[in-house]
Amino acid sequence: MVESSFAEIKDEIIETRHYLHQHPELSDQEVETSRFITEYLLNIGYRIITPVGLKTGVIAEIGEGKPVVGLRSDIDALPIKEATELPYSSENEGVMHACGHDFHMASLLGAARVLKEKEADLVGTVRLIFQPAEETHVGAQEVEEAGGIEGVDAIIGFHNKPDLATGEIGILPGGLMAAVDQFKVTFKGVGTHAAMPQFGKDPIIALAGTVSAVQTIVSRNEDPQKTAVVSITHIEGGSTWNVLPENAWFEGTVRTFDKQARQVAKERFYKVIEGQAASFGVDVEIEWIEGPNVVDNDPKLTEIVSEETQKHLQLVKPTPSNAGEDFAYFSQKIPSVFAFVGSNGNSDWHHSDLRVDDEGLLVGAKWYYYTALRLLSELKTTGYVRIIGVNSK
Ligand code: NI
């Protein structure tokens, strides 16, 4: 019966995604997207409860009382010029849904439709959280600070996964997506004529040595059983061929899944770089920006969600991704499960030619729907509450 409801809305979900794809908006600027979602949900009978403090994004509810299960989708796009040549390509020049958040929105709106049909069966409240600004990693916190997750007992979300086949859903307990740290390092020396290096202090030689030296953090300091990656992605220094510059800098990122590995990486990073700078007699400034934490799936909740998923859909064990996700912010506060939904893409996230498979939308919608119902009844009967911190890594 429910399956036929999904079959009936399939075309509409696809159309909805194409519309959203055509009208992408950058992080914290999702004004039209939010308006579209609000109207859509009002039309099908949802209560819109978006807090006034939340400038973009939409929060809506259906059902009554406790427990409350949160279903989250992100809504923002990227500053990328679309190169898919799809008939529904972005109409907003230089902005593209290159991470497939349009896929997530359309799936959640589809689930919302079927949940509305089954409203009488709900043993609690389902809260839809259309979160802004995932790409800039501030949206989850914006939602929380505005009061958007108050009272939520458990929360789920997913990201489409281009390297999973359509139909597959990947779930595992613990870390699914990495903790993200970002750094910028500036070596400050003394500029001089290239022919007379003895009169200066060369920041380029210090930088060059450091680029290799920081790779020993992963190979020599981290536990080989734990994942860590250090990538330097951008280097600048100097402006011409015959002058040694005063400054040179690089930036990049560290990805880890384990709290201790994250700590080791940071500590060793500072030590290695300060040591390198001292040995070359230059000063150094290190900026370290902590990004999202690990997306950490609650083990008990994951077991329940996996069991339910398997009844209706094709559950697979995914490879964790070294990319970050600010859903981690929710997963630190509320028992949560994050999943990967196969989108059978031609390239990876953030590529200008990324095309995702529309057939996967229904899988995402069903996952939201079945999981929401199961968690409501589970929470109603067992009242399971996670002790925050037990599972934190
Ligand atoms: Ni994304």
Side-chain angles (χ1 to χ4, degrees), residues 74 99-101 104 134-135 159 325 349-350:
D74 41 16
C99 201
H101 297 183
H104 312 160
E134 192 289 318
E135 297 294 353
H159 207 292
E325 226 309 332
W349 298 327
H350 297 206

Side-chain angles (χ1 to χ4, degrees), residues 151-227:
V152 175
D153 298 293
I155 186 166
I156 62 157
F158 78 79
H159 207 292
N160 78 89
K161 197 77 167 60
D163 62 357
L164 281 185
T166 304
E168 291 181 337
I169 298 211
I171 304 174
L172 51 73
L176 184 69
M177 295 184 77
V180 179
D181 291 307
Q182 190 185 336
F183 55 75
K184 183 176 177 187
V185 174
T186 307
F187 292 94
K188 297 175 177 179
V190 176
T192 183
H193 195 296
M196 294 165 248
Q198 73 274 28
F199 297 131
K201 284 179 179 167
D202 182 4
I204 287 189
I205 205 85
L207 181 148
T210 306
V211 169
S212 302
V214 295
Q215 291 307 325
T216 62
I217 296 171
V218 174
S219 68
R220 302 295 84 182
N221 305 127
E222 295 287 8
D223 179 342
Q225 304 298 329
K226 290 171 182 166
T227 310

Side-chain angles (χ1 to χ4, degrees), residues 285-306:
E285 190 184 293
I286 303 173
E287 289 170 63
W288 188 274
I289 302 158
E290 278 187 19
N293 216 323
V294 175
V295 172
D296 195 10
N297 284 341
D298 182 273
K300 178 79 170 84
L301 212 62
T302 302
E303 209 180 295
I304 298 165
V305 171
S306 300

